């Protein structure tokens, strides 16, 4: 009995050593250091019919979610031929970069001075990045404010980017509502894009002309209240062509 017991103990010992080696090998393969790189944009458009989101950058990793064609996805970084992303439900995973189209790259339009700080302080611009439709609508809105004794709004570059994304989201996903099926409410969307504010609001319109959209807003008590709200001092305005309405207008307001 003692000899048999001794042999069993030796077998168990060697088995544990072999198991430990195998586990160590698997651990190294799964969690080995990978090189992450900055992709230069934070929002991507899904171009695949149904895109798999995996729990690692490679087809050997498990699928944890899927994203449909035309949906937007938040992109954090790249790993080889994969992007690290966040999808609805706050899942973090990896998707093939072959099926993601970059949206609104984060180009730095401002120059730096000798102290290393940006000349474009408070993330605001002189509106030179607005399209012709956005500029005209922005000017019409500010004229309404000035006529009512209020200060003109300033463009916040990040809010501007989010307003454009929301406008395109409405066209792509064929809806007209403050609640986005991708981003949630305007407040949730601003939060997900790391935009801080004290107060915020949103106006939507579908119209064939810029002046028509502004007049429709001014003839609606709720929309007019946003335009003439003295607590708002920054805005972002997205105008996107729409086959249904002519143009979709999204104006986001924030107060800092």
């Amino acid at each position: 009995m003692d000899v048999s017991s001794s042999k069993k103990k030796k077998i168990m010992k060697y088995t544990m050593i072999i198991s430990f080696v195998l586990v160590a090998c698997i651990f190294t393969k799964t969690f080995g250091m990978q090189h992450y790189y900055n992709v230069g944009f934070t929002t991507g458009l899904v171009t695949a019919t149904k895109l798999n989101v995996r729990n690692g950058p490679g087809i050997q990793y498990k699928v944890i979610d899927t994203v449909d064609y035309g949906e937007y996805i938040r992109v954090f970084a790249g790993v080889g031929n994969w992007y690290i992303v966040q999808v609805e439900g706050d899942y973090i995973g990896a998707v093939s970069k072959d099926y993601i189209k970059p949206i609104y790259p984060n180009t730095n339009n401002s120059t730096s001075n000798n102290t290393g700080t940006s000349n474009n302080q408070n993330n605001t611009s002189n509106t030179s990045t607005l399209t012709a439709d956005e500029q005209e609508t922005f000017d019409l809105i500010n004229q309404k404010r000035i006529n009512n004794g209020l200060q003109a709004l300033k463009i916040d570059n990040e809010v501007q980017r989010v307003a454009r994304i929301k406008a395109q989201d409405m066209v792509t996903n064929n809806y007209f509502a403050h609640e986005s099926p991708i981003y949630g409410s305007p407040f949730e969307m601003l939060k997900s894009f790391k935009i801080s504010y004290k107060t915020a609001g949103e106006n939507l319109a579908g119209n064939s002309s810029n002046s028509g959209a502004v007049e429709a807003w001014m003839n609606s008590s709720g929309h007019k209240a946003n335009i003439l709200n003295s607590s708002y001092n920054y805005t972002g305005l997205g105008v996107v062509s729409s086959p249904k309405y002519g143009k979709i207008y999204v104006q986001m307001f924030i107060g800092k």
Side-chain angles (χ1 to χ4, degrees):
M1 290 290 292
D2 290 341
V3 175
S4 176
S5 176
S6 176
K7 285 182 68 176
K8 285 183 179 180
K9 286 182 179 180
K10 286 184 179 181
I11 291 171
M12 287 288 293
K13 179 179 179 182
Y14 291 136
T15 302
M16 288 175 66
I17 292 173
I18 292 170
S19 298
F20 175 79
V21 171
L22 288 175
V23 170
C25 290
I26 294 170
F27 180 87
T28 303
K29 181 179 179 181
T30 305
F31 296 97
M33 181 63 69
Q34 305 213 42
H35 175 65
Y36 291 79
Y37 57 87
N38 182 14
V39 296
F41 64 95
T42 58
T43 303
L45 179 67
V46 176
T47 60
T49 302
K50 190 172 288 290
L51 181 62
N52 288 331
V53 181
R54 299 178 181 273
N55 63 359
I59 59 174
Q60 71 272 27
Y61 291 93
K62 182 181 177 181
V63 175
I64 58 173
D65 199 3
T66 58
V67 186
D68 294 329
Y69 174 84
E71 291 189 9
Y72 291 97
I73 197 166
R74 188 165 176 79
V75 181
F76 294 106
V79 184
N81 199 45
W82 295 77
Y83 288 143
I84 305 303
V85 301
Q86 178 185 11
V87 295
E88 191 175 7
D90 289 334
Y91 287 114
I92 302 296
V95 298
S96 171
K97 64 186 296 185
D98 295 335
Y99 304 105
I100 296 293
K101 177 184 177 182
I103 300 294
Y104 302 118
N106 290 328
T107 54
N108 185 3
N109 295 321
S110 63
T111 56
S112 297
N113 57 28
N114 291 334
T115 62
T117 58
S118 171
N119 289 329
N120 190 14
Q121 294 182 359
N122 296 324
N123 195 35
T124 59
S125 75
N126 60 4
T127 74
S128 62
T129 59
L130 300 184
T131 66
D133 283 330
E134 291 166 351
Q135 184 69 61
E136 182 180 11
T137 308
F138 176 71
D139 291 341
L140 289 169
I141 291 292
N142 270 339
Q143 191 59 57
K144 299 294 184 184
R145 287 177 63 89
I146 292 169
N147 291 346
N148 284 272
L150 299 172
Q151 287 191 341
L153 296 167
K154 298 178 182 178
I155 291 291
D156 181 286
N157 290 334
E158 282 301 295
V159 178
Q160 174 65 28
R161 185 168 70 93
V162 172
R164 282 176 177 167
I165 292 173
K166 174 64 178 290
Q168 186 60 59
D169 180 46
M170 288 174 63
V171 173
T172 301
N173 292 299
N174 192 30
Y175 73 95
F176 190 93
H178 291 293
E179 189 82 12
S180 164
I182 306 301
Y183 299 104
S185 72
F187 313 106
E188 291 170 329
M189 189 172 184
L190 288 168
K191 182 180 177 181
S192 69
F193 281 86
K194 312 300 181 185
I195 296 172
S196 59
Y197 57 87
K198 293 180 180 177
T199 57
E202 179 185 73
N203 279 355
L204 305 178
N207 208 292
S208 59
S209 72
N210 304 326
S211 59
V214 174
E215 287 308 312
W217 281 339
M218 292 301 292
N219 289 328
S220 166
S221 59
H223 296 90
K224 181 179 179 179
N226 274 339
I227 291 172
L228 301 182
N229 191 330
S230 60
S231 67
Y232 296 146
N233 47 9
Y234 292 95
T235 189
L237 183 64
V239 181
V240 176
S241 295
S242 164
K244 189 173 183 179
Y245 299 100
K247 299 172 188 175
I248 284 290
Y249 298 78
V250 174
Q251 183 167 20
M252 290 185 166
F253 305 86
I254 66 167
K256 295 184 180 182

